[in-house]
PDB file of all heavy atoms in Angstrom:
ATOM      1  N   PRO A 215       2.014 -21.283   2.133  1.00 96.00           N
ATOM      2  CA  PRO A 215       0.830 -21.882   1.527  1.00 96.00           C
ATOM      3  C   PRO A 215      -0.162 -20.849   0.978  1.00 96.00           C
ATOM      4  O   PRO A 215      -0.951 -21.159   0.071  1.00 96.00           O
ATOM      5  CB  PRO A 215       0.202 -22.679   2.679  1.00 96.00           C
ATOM      6  CG  PRO A 215       1.348 -23.012   3.571  1.00 96.00           C
ATOM      7  CD  PRO A 215       2.216 -21.785   3.518  1.00 96.00           C
ATOM      8  N   ASP A 216      -0.136 -19.623   1.513  1.00 97.00           N
ATOM      9  CA  ASP A 216      -1.128 -18.609   1.143  1.00 97.00           C
ATOM     10  C   ASP A 216      -0.528 -17.349   0.538  1.00 97.00           C
ATOM     11  O   ASP A 216      -1.254 -16.527  -0.016  1.00 97.00           O
ATOM     12  CB  ASP A 216      -1.949 -18.194   2.372  1.00 97.00           C
ATOM     13  CG  ASP A 216      -2.555 -19.391   3.094  1.00 97.00           C
ATOM     14  OD1 ASP A 216      -3.320 -20.125   2.446  1.00 97.00           O
ATOM     15  OD2 ASP A 216      -2.240 -19.592   4.283  1.00 97.00           O
ATOM     16  N   TYR A 217       0.778 -17.189   0.664  1.00 97.00           N
ATOM     17  CA  TYR A 217       1.429 -15.958   0.222  1.00 97.00           C
ATOM     18  C   TYR A 217       2.723 -16.276  -0.524  1.00 97.00           C
ATOM     19  O   TYR A 217       3.317 -17.336  -0.333  1.00 97.00           O
ATOM     20  CB  TYR A 217       1.763 -15.046   1.419  1.00 97.00           C
ATOM     21  CG  TYR A 217       0.545 -14.510   2.129  1.00 97.00           C
ATOM     22  CD1 TYR A 217      -0.063 -15.234   3.157  1.00 97.00           C
ATOM     23  CD2 TYR A 217      -0.008 -13.280   1.776  1.00 97.00           C
ATOM     24  CE1 TYR A 217      -1.188 -14.750   3.807  1.00 97.00           C
ATOM     25  CE2 TYR A 217      -1.132 -12.788   2.418  1.00 97.00           C
ATOM     26  CZ  TYR A 217      -1.719 -13.526   3.430  1.00 97.00           C
ATOM     27  OH  TYR A 217      -2.833 -13.046   4.063  1.00 97.00           O
ATOM     28  N   ARG A 218       3.143 -15.336  -1.335  1.00 98.00           N
ATOM     29  CA  ARG A 218       4.466 -15.387  -1.947  1.00 98.00           C
ATOM     30  C   ARG A 218       5.409 -14.601  -1.036  1.00 98.00           C
ATOM     31  O   ARG A 218       5.269 -13.386  -0.880  1.00 98.00           O
ATOM     32  CB  ARG A 218       4.438 -14.775  -3.341  1.00 98.00           C
ATOM     33  CG  ARG A 218       5.792 -14.773  -4.050  1.00 98.00           C
ATOM     34  CD  ARG A 218       5.703 -14.042  -5.391  1.00 98.00           C
ATOM     35  NE  ARG A 218       7.025 -13.897  -6.001  1.00 98.00           N
ATOM     36  CZ  ARG A 218       7.256 -13.157  -7.086  1.00 98.00           C
ATOM     37  NH1 ARG A 218       6.250 -12.493  -7.667  1.00 98.00           N
ATOM     38  NH2 ARG A 218       8.481 -13.074  -7.581  1.00 98.00           N
ATOM     39  N   VAL A 219       6.332 -15.284  -0.412  1.00 98.00           N
ATOM     40  CA  VAL A 219       7.244 -14.667   0.549  1.00 98.00           C
ATOM     41  C   VAL A 219       8.594 -14.416  -0.133  1.00 98.00           C
ATOM     42  O   VAL A 219       9.242 -15.356  -0.600  1.00 98.00           O
ATOM     43  CB  VAL A 219       7.422 -15.553   1.797  1.00 98.00           C
ATOM     44  CG1 VAL A 219       8.345 -14.871   2.797  1.00 98.00           C
ATOM     45  CG2 VAL A 219       6.070 -15.846   2.448  1.00 98.00           C
ATOM     46  N   VAL A 220       8.994 -13.152  -0.168  1.00 98.00           N
ATOM     47  CA  VAL A 220      10.209 -12.743  -0.874  1.00 98.00           C
ATOM     48  C   VAL A 220      11.146 -12.054   0.125  1.00 98.00           C
ATOM     49  O   VAL A 220      10.735 -11.141   0.843  1.00 98.00           O
ATOM     50  CB  VAL A 220       9.882 -11.779  -2.028  1.00 98.00           C
ATOM     51  CG1 VAL A 220      11.158 -11.373  -2.764  1.00 98.00           C
ATOM     52  CG2 VAL A 220       8.882 -12.406  -2.992  1.00 98.00           C
ATOM     53  N   ILE A 221      12.409 -12.513   0.180  1.00 98.00           N
ATOM     54  CA  ILE A 221      13.374 -11.953   1.125  1.00 98.00           C
ATOM     55  C   ILE A 221      14.678 -11.650   0.388  1.00 98.00           C
ATOM     56  O   ILE A 221      15.425 -12.566   0.038  1.00 98.00           O
ATOM     57  CB  ILE A 221      13.702 -12.923   2.278  1.00 98.00           C
ATOM     58  CG1 ILE A 221      12.451 -13.675   2.761  1.00 98.00           C
ATOM     59  CG2 ILE A 221      14.366 -12.178   3.426  1.00 98.00           C
ATOM     60  CD1 ILE A 221      12.776 -14.796   3.747  1.00 98.00           C
ATOM     61  N   PRO A 222      15.005 -10.383   0.164  1.00 97.00           N
ATOM     62  CA  PRO A 222      16.320 -10.071  -0.431  1.00 97.00           C
ATOM     63  C   PRO A 222      17.412 -10.145   0.626  1.00 97.00           C
ATOM     64  O   PRO A 222      17.203  -9.778   1.793  1.00 97.00           O
ATOM     65  CB  PRO A 222      16.141  -8.637  -0.929  1.00 97.00           C
ATOM     66  CG  PRO A 222      15.113  -8.047  -0.002  1.00 97.00           C
ATOM     67  CD  PRO A 222      14.177  -9.182   0.370  1.00 97.00           C
ATOM     68  N   LEU A 223      18.582 -10.626   0.246  1.00 95.00           N
ATOM     69  CA  LEU A 223      19.750 -10.553   1.116  1.00 95.00           C
ATOM     70  C   LEU A 223      20.346  -9.161   0.939  1.00 95.00           C
ATOM     71  O   LEU A 223      20.880  -8.827  -0.118  1.00 95.00           O
ATOM     72  CB  LEU A 223      20.775 -11.625   0.738  1.00 95.00           C
ATOM     73  CG  LEU A 223      22.044 -11.648   1.594  1.00 95.00           C
ATOM     74  CD1 LEU A 223      21.720 -11.983   3.042  1.00 95.00           C
ATOM     75  CD2 LEU A 223      23.058 -12.642   1.035  1.00 95.00           C
ATOM     76  N   LEU A 224      20.227  -8.344   1.969  1.00 95.00           N
ATOM     77  CA  LEU A 224      20.702  -6.970   1.865  1.00 95.00           C
ATOM     78  C   LEU A 224      22.236  -6.948   1.858  1.00 95.00           C
ATOM     79  O   LEU A 224      22.872  -7.645   2.649  1.00 95.00           O
ATOM     80  CB  LEU A 224      20.157  -6.142   3.031  1.00 95.00           C
ATOM     81  CG  LEU A 224      18.624  -6.062   3.109  1.00 95.00           C
ATOM     82  CD1 LEU A 224      18.195  -5.300   4.352  1.00 95.00           C
ATOM     83  CD2 LEU A 224      18.045  -5.419   1.852  1.00 95.00           C
ATOM     84  N   PRO A 225      22.856  -6.135   1.009  1.00 94.00           N
ATOM     85  CA  PRO A 225      24.312  -6.151   0.828  1.00 94.00           C
ATOM     86  C   PRO A 225      25.043  -5.323   1.890  1.00 94.00           C
ATOM     87  O   PRO A 225      25.926  -4.512   1.577  1.00 94.00           O
ATOM     88  CB  PRO A 225      24.473  -5.537  -0.565  1.00 94.00           C
ATOM     89  CG  PRO A 225      23.367  -4.527  -0.631  1.00 94.00           C
ATOM     90  CD  PRO A 225      22.205  -5.171   0.104  1.00 94.00           C
ATOM     91  N   ILE A 226      24.679  -5.545   3.139  1.00 92.00           N
ATOM     92  CA  ILE A 226      25.197  -4.727   4.234  1.00 92.00           C
ATOM     93  C   ILE A 226      26.718  -4.785   4.320  1.00 92.00           C
ATOM     94  O   ILE A 226      27.377  -3.781   4.605  1.00 92.00           O
ATOM     95  CB  ILE A 226      24.546  -5.177   5.558  1.00 92.00           C
ATOM     96  CG1 ILE A 226      23.083  -4.720   5.579  1.00 92.00           C
ATOM     97  CG2 ILE A 226      25.290  -4.646   6.774  1.00 92.00           C
ATOM     98  CD1 ILE A 226      22.249  -5.338   6.673  1.00 92.00           C
ATOM     99  N   TYR A 227      27.307  -5.955   4.049  1.00 88.00           N
ATOM    100  CA  TYR A 227      28.735  -6.136   4.280  1.00 88.00           C
ATOM    101  C   TYR A 227      29.603  -5.869   3.056  1.00 88.00           C
ATOM    102  O   TYR A 227      30.826  -5.793   3.182  1.00 88.00           O
ATOM    103  CB  TYR A 227      29.009  -7.561   4.772  1.00 88.00           C
ATOM    104  CG  TYR A 227      28.182  -7.943   5.965  1.00 88.00           C
ATOM    105  CD1 TYR A 227      27.505  -9.168   5.997  1.00 88.00           C
ATOM    106  CD2 TYR A 227      28.055  -7.096   7.057  1.00 88.00           C
ATOM    107  CE1 TYR A 227      26.734  -9.523   7.092  1.00 88.00           C
ATOM    108  CE2 TYR A 227      27.277  -7.451   8.152  1.00 88.00           C
ATOM    109  CZ  TYR A 227      26.617  -8.661   8.174  1.00 88.00           C
ATOM    110  OH  TYR A 227      25.850  -9.009   9.247  1.00 88.00           O
ATOM    111  N   ASP A 228      28.981  -5.731   1.891  1.00 90.00           N
ATOM    112  CA  ASP A 228      29.818  -5.592   0.698  1.00 90.00           C
ATOM    113  C   ASP A 228      29.357  -4.515  -0.273  1.00 90.00           C
ATOM    114  O   ASP A 228      29.899  -4.413  -1.375  1.00 90.00           O
ATOM    115  CB  ASP A 228      29.923  -6.940  -0.037  1.00 90.00           C
ATOM    116  CG  ASP A 228      28.557  -7.559  -0.330  1.00 90.00           C
ATOM    117  OD1 ASP A 228      27.541  -6.847  -0.221  1.00 90.00           O
ATOM    118  OD2 ASP A 228      28.526  -8.756  -0.675  1.00 90.00           O
ATOM    119  N   MET A 229      28.371  -3.693   0.098  1.00 93.00           N
ATOM    120  CA  MET A 229      27.963  -2.616  -0.799  1.00 93.00           C
ATOM    121  C   MET A 229      29.055  -1.533  -0.811  1.00 93.00           C
ATOM    122  O   MET A 229      29.876  -1.458   0.124  1.00 93.00           O
ATOM    123  CB  MET A 229      26.624  -2.028  -0.351  1.00 93.00           C
ATOM    124  CG  MET A 229      26.651  -1.312   0.995  1.00 93.00           C
ATOM    125  SD  MET A 229      24.985  -0.959   1.636  1.00 93.00           S
ATOM    126  CE  MET A 229      24.229  -0.098   0.257  1.00 93.00           C
ATOM    127  N   PRO A 230      29.139  -0.718  -1.865  1.00 93.00           N
ATOM    128  CA  PRO A 230      30.139   0.356  -1.896  1.00 93.00           C
ATOM    129  C   PRO A 230      30.042   1.212  -0.637  1.00 93.00           C
ATOM    130  O   PRO A 230      28.936   1.575  -0.208  1.00 93.00           O
ATOM    131  CB  PRO A 230      29.757   1.147  -3.148  1.00 93.00           C
ATOM    132  CG  PRO A 230      29.056   0.156  -4.022  1.00 93.00           C
ATOM    133  CD  PRO A 230      28.307  -0.741  -3.081  1.00 93.00           C
ATOM    134  N   LEU A 231      31.187   1.530  -0.050  1.00 93.00           N
ATOM    135  CA  LEU A 231      31.196   2.247   1.220  1.00 93.00           C
ATOM    136  C   LEU A 231      30.480   3.592   1.111  1.00 93.00           C
ATOM    137  O   LEU A 231      29.821   4.027   2.070  1.00 93.00           O
ATOM    138  CB  LEU A 231      32.636   2.451   1.692  1.00 93.00           C
ATOM    139  CG  LEU A 231      32.828   2.994   3.110  1.00 93.00           C
ATOM    140  CD1 LEU A 231      32.131   2.126   4.146  1.00 93.00           C
ATOM    141  CD2 LEU A 231      34.320   3.113   3.426  1.00 93.00           C
ATOM    142  N   THR A 232      30.565   4.230  -0.038  1.00 92.00           N
ATOM    143  CA  THR A 232      29.893   5.524  -0.223  1.00 92.00           C
ATOM    144  C   THR A 232      28.375   5.399  -0.212  1.00 92.00           C
ATOM    145  O   THR A 232      27.671   6.390  -0.030  1.00 92.00           O
ATOM    146  CB  THR A 232      30.327   6.173  -1.542  1.00 92.00           C
ATOM    147  OG1 THR A 232      30.070   5.262  -2.627  1.00 92.00           O
ATOM    148  CG2 THR A 232      31.805   6.533  -1.523  1.00 92.00           C
ATOM    149  N   GLN A 233      27.871   4.176  -0.416  1.00 94.00           N
ATOM    150  CA  GLN A 233      26.423   3.948  -0.424  1.00 94.00           C
ATOM    151  C   GLN A 233      25.941   3.241   0.842  1.00 94.00           C
ATOM    152  O   GLN A 233      24.750   2.943   0.973  1.00 94.00           O
ATOM    153  CB  GLN A 233      26.044   3.110  -1.650  1.00 94.00           C
ATOM    154  CG  GLN A 233      26.367   3.779  -2.973  1.00 94.00           C
ATOM    155  CD  GLN A 233      26.161   2.835  -4.145  1.00 94.00           C
ATOM    156  OE1 GLN A 233      25.375   1.892  -4.094  1.00 94.00           O
ATOM    157  NE2 GLN A 233      26.894   3.086  -5.229  1.00 94.00           N
ATOM    158  N   ALA A 234      26.839   2.969   1.776  1.00 94.00           N
ATOM    159  CA  ALA A 234      26.496   2.211   2.984  1.00 94.00           C
ATOM    160  C   ALA A 234      25.721   3.097   3.952  1.00 94.00           C
ATOM    161  O   ALA A 234      26.296   3.748   4.829  1.00 94.00           O
ATOM    162  CB  ALA A 234      27.760   1.667   3.637  1.00 94.00           C
ATOM    163  N   SER A 235      24.418   3.119   3.777  1.00 95.00           N
ATOM    164  CA  SER A 235      23.549   4.012   4.539  1.00 95.00           C
ATOM    165  C   SER A 235      22.117   3.519   4.401  1.00 95.00           C
ATOM    166  O   SER A 235      21.821   2.641   3.574  1.00 95.00           O
ATOM    167  CB  SER A 235      23.649   5.439   4.001  1.00 95.00           C
ATOM    168  OG  SER A 235      23.195   5.483   2.649  1.00 95.00           O
ATOM    169  N   VAL A 236      21.221   4.095   5.179  1.00 96.00           N
ATOM    170  CA  VAL A 236      19.805   3.751   5.033  1.00 96.00           C
ATOM    171  C   VAL A 236      19.300   4.108   3.633  1.00 96.00           C
ATOM    172  O   VAL A 236      18.689   3.271   2.960  1.00 96.00           O
ATOM    173  CB  VAL A 236      18.955   4.429   6.132  1.00 96.00           C
ATOM    174  CG1 VAL A 236      17.464   4.269   5.835  1.00 96.00           C
ATOM    175  CG2 VAL A 236      19.272   3.826   7.498  1.00 96.00           C
ATOM    176  N   PRO A 237      19.540   5.326   3.127  1.00 97.00           N
ATOM    177  CA  PRO A 237      19.104   5.630   1.753  1.00 97.00           C
ATOM    178  C   PRO A 237      19.698   4.678   0.718  1.00 97.00           C
ATOM    179  O   PRO A 237      19.027   4.292  -0.246  1.00 97.00           O
ATOM    180  CB  PRO A 237      19.573   7.073   1.531  1.00 97.00           C
ATOM    181  CG  PRO A 237      19.636   7.657   2.902  1.00 97.00           C
ATOM    182  CD  PRO A 237      20.102   6.531   3.784  1.00 97.00           C
ATOM    183  N   GLY A 238      20.972   4.283   0.895  1.00 97.00           N
ATOM    184  CA  GLY A 238      21.597   3.354  -0.045  1.00 97.00           C
ATOM    185  C   GLY A 238      20.905   2.007  -0.054  1.00 97.00           C
ATOM    186  O   GLY A 238      20.708   1.398  -1.114  1.00 97.00           O
ATOM    187  N   LEU A 239      20.518   1.511   1.117  1.00 98.00           N
ATOM    188  CA  LEU A 239      19.817   0.224   1.207  1.00 98.00           C
ATOM    189  C   LEU A 239      18.394   0.327   0.678  1.00 98.00           C
ATOM    190  O   LEU A 239      17.874  -0.619   0.080  1.00 98.00           O
ATOM    191  CB  LEU A 239      19.825  -0.271   2.649  1.00 98.00           C
ATOM    192  CG  LEU A 239      21.201  -0.759   3.130  1.00 98.00           C
ATOM    193  CD1 LEU A 239      21.230  -0.889   4.648  1.00 98.00           C
ATOM    194  CD2 LEU A 239      21.568  -2.093   2.473  1.00 98.00           C
ATOM    195  N   VAL A 240      17.759   1.474   0.861  1.00 98.00           N
ATOM    196  CA  VAL A 240      16.427   1.673   0.281  1.00 98.00           C
ATOM    197  C   VAL A 240      16.516   1.634  -1.245  1.00 98.00           C
ATOM    198  O   VAL A 240      15.683   1.002  -1.910  1.00 98.00           O
ATOM    199  CB  VAL A 240      15.813   3.004   0.760  1.00 98.00           C
ATOM    200  CG1 VAL A 240      14.518   3.310  -0.003  1.00 98.00           C
ATOM    201  CG2 VAL A 240      15.528   2.956   2.260  1.00 98.00           C
ATOM    202  N   SER A 241      17.534   2.276  -1.802  1.00 98.00           N
ATOM    203  CA  SER A 241      17.735   2.235  -3.262  1.00 98.00           C
ATOM    204  C   SER A 241      17.950   0.805  -3.738  1.00 98.00           C
ATOM    205  O   SER A 241      17.465   0.410  -4.808  1.00 98.00           O
ATOM    206  CB  SER A 241      18.930   3.105  -3.663  1.00 98.00           C
ATOM    207  OG  SER A 241      18.671   4.462  -3.396  1.00 98.00           O
ATOM    208  N   TYR A 242      18.688   0.027  -2.945  1.00 98.00           N
ATOM    209  CA  TYR A 242      18.913  -1.380  -3.285  1.00 98.00           C
ATOM    210  C   TYR A 242      17.586  -2.138  -3.335  1.00 98.00           C
ATOM    211  O   TYR A 242      17.333  -2.910  -4.273  1.00 98.00           O
ATOM    212  CB  TYR A 242      19.846  -2.015  -2.259  1.00 98.00           C
ATOM    213  CG  TYR A 242      20.188  -3.453  -2.548  1.00 98.00           C
ATOM    214  CD1 TYR A 242      21.277  -3.785  -3.348  1.00 98.00           C
ATOM    215  CD2 TYR A 242      19.418  -4.496  -2.021  1.00 98.00           C
ATOM    216  CE1 TYR A 242      21.589  -5.107  -3.623  1.00 98.00           C
ATOM    217  CE2 TYR A 242      19.726  -5.813  -2.289  1.00 98.00           C
ATOM    218  CZ  TYR A 242      20.813  -6.114  -3.089  1.00 98.00           C
ATOM    219  OH  TYR A 242      21.110  -7.435  -3.352  1.00 98.00           O
ATOM    220  N   VAL A 243      16.729  -1.923  -2.352  1.00 98.00           N
ATOM    221  CA  VAL A 243      15.425  -2.598  -2.331  1.00 98.00           C
ATOM    222  C   VAL A 243      14.575  -2.152  -3.518  1.00 98.00           C
ATOM    223  O   VAL A 243      13.893  -2.971  -4.146  1.00 98.00           O
ATOM    224  CB  VAL A 243      14.704  -2.340  -0.994  1.00 98.00           C
ATOM    225  CG1 VAL A 243      13.266  -2.873  -1.033  1.00 98.00           C
ATOM    226  CG2 VAL A 243      15.466  -2.991   0.164  1.00 98.00           C
ATOM    227  N   GLU A 244      14.620  -0.884  -3.848  1.00 98.00           N
ATOM    228  CA  GLU A 244      13.868  -0.398  -5.007  1.00 98.00           C
ATOM    229  C   GLU A 244      14.339  -1.097  -6.281  1.00 98.00           C
ATOM    230  O   GLU A 244      13.514  -1.500  -7.120  1.00 98.00           O
ATOM    231  CB  GLU A 244      14.025   1.117  -5.123  1.00 98.00           C
ATOM    232  CG  GLU A 244      13.292   1.875  -4.025  1.00 98.00           C
ATOM    233  CD  GLU A 244      13.606   3.365  -3.999  1.00 98.00           C
ATOM    234  OE1 GLU A 244      14.651   3.771  -4.557  1.00 98.00           O
ATOM    235  OE2 GLU A 244      12.807   4.112  -3.420  1.00 98.00           O
ATOM    236  N   GLY A 245      15.646  -1.260  -6.433  1.00 98.00           N
ATOM    237  CA  GLY A 245      16.176  -1.967  -7.597  1.00 98.00           C
ATOM    238  C   GLY A 245      15.774  -3.432  -7.599  1.00 98.00           C
ATOM    239  O   GLY A 245      15.465  -4.005  -8.661  1.00 98.00           O
ATOM    240  N   PHE A 246      15.765  -4.048  -6.427  1.00 98.00           N
ATOM    241  CA  PHE A 246      15.378  -5.448  -6.295  1.00 98.00           C
ATOM    242  C   PHE A 246      13.916  -5.642  -6.697  1.00 98.00           C
ATOM    243  O   PHE A 246      13.581  -6.568  -7.452  1.00 98.00           O
ATOM    244  CB  PHE A 246      15.595  -5.895  -4.850  1.00 98.00           C
ATOM    245  CG  PHE A 246      15.086  -7.272  -4.543  1.00 98.00           C
ATOM    246  CD1 PHE A 246      15.783  -8.400  -4.959  1.00 98.00           C
ATOM    247  CD2 PHE A 246      13.914  -7.446  -3.824  1.00 98.00           C
ATOM    248  CE1 PHE A 246      15.308  -9.676  -4.668  1.00 98.00           C
ATOM    249  CE2 PHE A 246      13.441  -8.711  -3.524  1.00 98.00           C
ATOM    250  CZ  PHE A 246      14.135  -9.834  -3.958  1.00 98.00           C
ATOM    251  N   VAL A 247      13.039  -4.779  -6.204  1.00 98.00           N
ATOM    252  CA  VAL A 247      11.607  -4.871  -6.535  1.00 98.00           C
ATOM    253  C   VAL A 247      11.401  -4.753  -8.044  1.00 98.00           C
ATOM    254  O   VAL A 247      10.608  -5.495  -8.639  1.00 98.00           O
ATOM    255  CB  VAL A 247      10.811  -3.774  -5.786  1.00 98.00           C
ATOM    256  CG1 VAL A 247       9.395  -3.640  -6.337  1.00 98.00           C
ATOM    257  CG2 VAL A 247      10.782  -4.074  -4.291  1.00 98.00           C
ATOM    258  N   LYS A 248      12.144  -3.849  -8.661  1.00 97.00           N
ATOM    259  CA  LYS A 248      12.041  -3.674 -10.113  1.00 97.00           C
ATOM    260  C   LYS A 248      12.579  -4.886 -10.859  1.00 97.00           C
ATOM    261  O   LYS A 248      11.968  -5.362 -11.822  1.00 97.00           O
ATOM    262  CB  LYS A 248      12.796  -2.414 -10.522  1.00 97.00           C
ATOM    263  CG  LYS A 248      12.700  -2.094 -12.005  1.00 97.00           C
ATOM    264  CD  LYS A 248      13.410  -0.786 -12.336  1.00 97.00           C
ATOM    265  CE  LYS A 248      13.313  -0.464 -13.822  1.00 97.00           C
ATOM    266  NZ  LYS A 248      14.013   0.815 -14.149  1.00 97.00           N
ATOM    267  N   ALA A 249      13.718  -5.418 -10.411  1.00 97.00           N
ATOM    268  CA  ALA A 249      14.336  -6.553 -11.091  1.00 97.00           C
ATOM    269  C   ALA A 249      13.452  -7.785 -11.052  1.00 97.00           C
ATOM    270  O   ALA A 249      13.383  -8.547 -12.024  1.00 97.00           O
ATOM    271  CB  ALA A 249      15.700  -6.854 -10.463  1.00 97.00           C
ATOM    272  N   LEU A 250      12.773  -8.015  -9.923  1.00 97.00           N
ATOM    273  CA  LEU A 250      11.909  -9.182  -9.795  1.00 97.00           C
ATOM    274  C   LEU A 250      10.512  -8.942 -10.351  1.00 97.00           C
ATOM    275  O   LEU A 250       9.688  -9.855 -10.366  1.00 97.00           O
ATOM    276  CB  LEU A 250      11.798  -9.627  -8.324  1.00 97.00           C
ATOM    277  CG  LEU A 250      12.724 -10.794  -7.948  1.00 97.00           C
ATOM    278  CD1 LEU A 250      14.178 -10.354  -8.002  1.00 97.00           C
ATOM    279  CD2 LEU A 250      12.373 -11.356  -6.585  1.00 97.00           C
ATOM    280  N   GLU A 251      10.252  -7.724 -10.789  1.00 96.00           N
ATOM    281  CA  GLU A 251       8.944  -7.356 -11.331  1.00 96.00           C
ATOM    282  C   GLU A 251       7.838  -7.754 -10.359  1.00 96.00           C
ATOM    283  O   GLU A 251       6.847  -8.408 -10.733  1.00 96.00           O
ATOM    284  CB  GLU A 251       8.734  -7.991 -12.704  1.00 96.00           C
ATOM    285  CG  GLU A 251       9.770  -7.560 -13.731  1.00 96.00           C
ATOM    286  CD  GLU A 251       9.523  -8.174 -15.103  1.00 96.00           C
ATOM    287  OE1 GLU A 251       8.760  -9.169 -15.192  1.00 96.00           O
ATOM    288  OE2 GLU A 251      10.075  -7.669 -16.084  1.00 96.00           O
ATOM    289  N   LEU A 252       8.015  -7.351  -9.097  1.00 96.00           N
ATOM    290  CA  LEU A 252       6.998  -7.654  -8.093  1.00 96.00           C
ATOM    291  C   LEU A 252       5.709  -6.916  -8.415  1.00 96.00           C
ATOM    292  O   LEU A 252       5.729  -5.902  -9.132  1.00 96.00           O
ATOM    293  CB  LEU A 252       7.499  -7.259  -6.703  1.00 96.00           C
ATOM    294  CG  LEU A 252       8.688  -8.062  -6.153  1.00 96.00           C
ATOM    295  CD1 LEU A 252       8.990  -7.643  -4.716  1.00 96.00           C
ATOM    296  CD2 LEU A 252       8.424  -9.562  -6.214  1.00 96.00           C
ATOM    297  N   PRO A 253       4.580  -7.405  -7.899  1.00 94.00           N
ATOM    298  CA  PRO A 253       3.296  -6.765  -8.197  1.00 94.00           C
ATOM    299  C   PRO A 253       3.282  -5.292  -7.798  1.00 94.00           C
ATOM    300  O   PRO A 253       4.138  -4.818  -7.045  1.00 94.00           O
ATOM    301  CB  PRO A 253       2.307  -7.566  -7.347  1.00 94.00           C
ATOM    302  CG  PRO A 253       2.960  -8.883  -7.133  1.00 94.00           C
ATOM    303  CD  PRO A 253       4.430  -8.600  -7.063  1.00 94.00           C
ATOM    304  N   SER A 254       2.268  -4.578  -8.281  1.00 91.00           N
ATOM    305  CA  SER A 254       2.210  -3.134  -8.062  1.00 91.00           C
ATOM    306  C   SER A 254       1.924  -2.771  -6.618  1.00 91.00           C
ATOM    307  O   SER A 254       2.110  -1.625  -6.212  1.00 91.00           O
ATOM    308  CB  SER A 254       1.136  -2.519  -8.963  1.00 91.00           C
ATOM    309  OG  SER A 254      -0.125  -3.106  -8.681  1.00 91.00           O
TER     310      SER A 254
END
């Protein structure tokens, strides 16, 4: 009622194995924020 609540489904089970790491998931979130054009 008071906030915009946004929850990405993190690709923990199907992301490329070479990217399956904390830095890889952070990069995923950065891409998600950009794709949805979230506020600054």
Side-chain angles (χ1 to χ4, degrees):
D216 307 301
Y217 294 87
R218 179 185 173 189
V219 182
V220 181
I221 321 171
L223 180 63
L224 300 176
I226 288 168
Y227 307 132
D228 53 14
M229 66 193 307
L231 189 56
T232 56
Q233 298 172 26
S235 63
V236 170
L239 288 165
V240 172
S241 295
Y242 182 89
V243 172
E244 289 171 340
F246 173 76
V247 167
K248 183 177 180 180
L250 261 67
E251 300 182 343
L252 294 185
S254 59

